[in-house]
Amino acid sequence: MSILVTGGTGFIGSHTCVELLEAGYDLVVFDNFANSKPSVIDKIVDITGKGFKFYHADMADKNSLERIFSENDIDCVIHFAGYKAVGESVEKPLMYYQNNITGTLNLLETMSEYNVKRIVFSSSATVYGIPKSVPITEDEPLSVTNPYGRTKLMIEDILRDLYVSDNSWAIILLRYFNPVGGHPSGLLCEDPNGIPNNLMPRILDTAFGKQDKINVFGNDYPTVDGTGVRDYIHVLDLAKGHVKAVERIMRVNDIQAINLGTGRGYSVLELIKTFEEVNNVKVPVEFAPRRPGDVAECYADTRKASEMLGWKAQLGVTEMCRDSYRARLMLEHGSDDK
Ligand code: WQD
């Protein structure tokens, strides 16, 4: 039984490949390295001691997808591949729609042609837009405020329509909250190409001297200390959630949206303080105006993941801060990483 992992050398994809290999699955992986590096392939092998088939391919090229499916016996797909920077999506919406939507349609059409009808889709809490209440359940009304989020919601809608047309599909939409951390080995971490805009990469850039301070976007929110509250989840917990999702779609044909979060919110200042204490570093901050589109609080109701997947996040912000720092330290030391 082979699992096809699209975007498998990315931050969440690579950690998920490690967990799947360690759970005994055979993998076929493809990536176009738009937001990752070829060296991640060797790191996955180093961590697990296991190999897998890799294709340097782009889901924009349907012929390459046909080749992958014709050369391998694929039982299900975990679909990570896609652009994911909110700010960039506002500047380049057509690039996001072309890549994320057309690429996904190419993938789904190829899956149908080869009668592969099981997919775990990498969705996002961004589909909740500005939530009416927290913690957020999967029944929360969906609304999006940027092109990136709109591609996630559109793909969810495409998958919902696909299931209505043919309920022999098995589909799970995993809605990630805020993934952070790195592999405890230090070999895998969030290493985005270009300028990161998420909080933890910015904290790391400040801790490693790439910037002299971190701008805290808004300290006048109605929260514990005025700064934004988010549900940070360790990427290892997220990866394990995907293994549980695969186990379910191999035995149940339906479509389910499931939150992957810890159910606990932390403010920006709480995360920065924890990071400083855990790693014995200083992260200077400067308060700046609120970032357009940001919400005050966003954290998950995790009951459905527990009931349907038998999954619950195990790691806390201490491990998230420790593992993020260690992995970036290793990356900095091996900075000739290609
Ligand atoms: C977290 C908090 C910021 C940077 C985004 C995407 C979402 C998902 C996760 C893919 C907020 C504050 C941040 C900085 C700051 N990605 N912040 N200074 O916006 O919750 O979610 O990433 O699926 O789709 O929208 O994450 O890390 O950008 O921000 O003060 O330099 O940190 O205001 O309160 P966000 P984030």
Side-chain angles (χ1 to χ4, degrees):
M1 169 180 135
S2 279
I3 297 176
L4 172 63
V5 181
T6 80
T9 58
F11 175 43
I12 302 167
S14 57
H15 285 84
T16 302
C17 286
V18 165
E19 293 302 318
L20 289 167
L21 288 167
E22 291 184 342
Y25 291 100
D26 292 323
L27 301 189
V28 175
V29 178
F30 81 76
D31 207 304
N32 67 357
F33 301 126
N35 199 22
S36 61
K37 297 180 177 68
S39 58
V40 170
I41 298 167
D42 294 335
K43 291 175 178 177
I44 294 170
V45 174
D46 289 349
I47 292 170
T48 61
K50 297 185 177 181
F52 54 91
K53 279 183 88 170
F54 180 80
Y55 292 79
H56 183 187
D58 193 321
M59 58 186 180
D61 172 12
K62 195 163 181 293
N63 293 329
S64 63
L65 295 177
E66 300 272 355
R67 177 172 163 237
I68 292 168
F69 278 82
S70 65
E71 292 178 359
N72 299 279
D73 178 16
I74 292 165
D75 288 271
C76 77
V77 175
I78 305 181
H79 181 30
F80 293 106
Y83 297 150
K84 53 160 259 182
V86 172
E88 186 184 51
S89 78
V90 175
E91 291 162 24
K92 303 175 182 172
L94 296 182
M95 183 179 92
Y96 269 68
Y97 290 125
Q98 188 65 23
N99 184 69
N100 293 6
I101 305 298
T102 307
T104 300
L105 290 172
N106 287 343
L107 173 68
L108 294 173
E109 285 170 352
T110 309
M111 288 176 69
S112 299
E113 287 158 20
Y114 285 84
N115 199 35
V116 177
K117 296 185 174 182
R118 297 187 179 97
I119 183 168
V120 176
F121 172 57
S122 167
S123 191
S124 165
T126 201
V127 300
Y128 295 119
I130 299 176
K132 305 274 180 303
S133 61
V134 285
I136 303 173
T137 69
E138 289 84 352
D139 303 326
E140 175 81 15
L142 305 181
S143 72
V144 284
T145 58
N146 60 76
Y148 157 73
R150 218 175 315 281
T151 67
K152 289 298 185 183
L153 184 50
M154 282 179 181
I155 294 167
E156 285 203 6
D157 287 341
I158 289 166
L159 289 167
R160 278 186 277 269
D161 288 343
L162 182 57
Y163 182 74
V164 168
S165 74
D166 174 358
N167 56 25
S168 67
W169 281 78
I171 301 171
I172 292 182
L173 314 167
L174 293 179
R175 293 175 180 162
Y176 312 154
F177 279 69
N178 288 62
V180 295
H183 196 269
S185 66
L187 290 175
L188 293 177
C189 66
E190 188 170 10
D191 180 19
N193 297 339
I195 299 170
N197 52 17
N198 288 132
L199 179 60
M200 184 55 88
R202 291 285 192 175
I203 291 174
L204 290 162
D205 280 355
T206 309
F208 284 87
K210 298 214 177 344
Q211 59 183 46
D212 57 10
K213 65 184 180 327
I214 186 165
N215 286 323
V216 176
F217 299 138
N219 64 334
D220 59 350
Y221 285 104
T223 62
V224 60
D225 56 22
T227 63
V229 170
R230 295 291 184 276
D231 186 334
Y232 298 97
I233 176 169
H234 199 297
V235 64
L236 272 191
D237 277 326
L238 209 58
K240 292 177 192 297
H242 287 73
V243 177
K244 291 289 191 182
V246 165
E247 288 171 8
R248 186 177 190 275
I249 58 168
M250 295 313 290
R251 62 174 199 276
V252 180
N253 287 23
D254 65 4
I255 181 167
Q256 297 292 345
I258 301 177
N259 289 338
L260 291 190
T262 65
R264 169 82 163 79
Y266 282 89
S267 76
V268 175
L269 291 181
E270 286 172 331
L271 189 70
I272 291 172
K273 184 168 182 293
T274 304
F275 184 92
E276 290 181 316
E277 288 168 356
V278 166
N279 298 307
N280 192 26
V281 293
K282 281 308 286 173
V283 177
V285 307
E286 184 171 290
F287 292 111
R290 293 183 178 187
R291 186 172 63 175
D294 271 358
V295 298
E297 288 195 292
C298 176
Y299 54 91
D301 181 305
T302 60
R303 284 172 295 178
K304 191 171 180 183
S306 175
E307 290 155 13
M308 275 209 174
L309 302 181
W311 172 90
K312 188 166 174 47
Q314 302 298 312
L315 301 170
V317 282
T318 298
E319 290 88 357
M320 293 178 212
C321 292
R322 180 200 63 200
D323 293 343
S324 299
Y325 183 79
R326 179 197 294 116
R328 175 65 80 91
L329 201 59
M330 296 261 289
L331 190 67
E332 294 291 322
H333 287 173
S335 56
D336 59 352
D337 194 8
K338 294 293 173 288

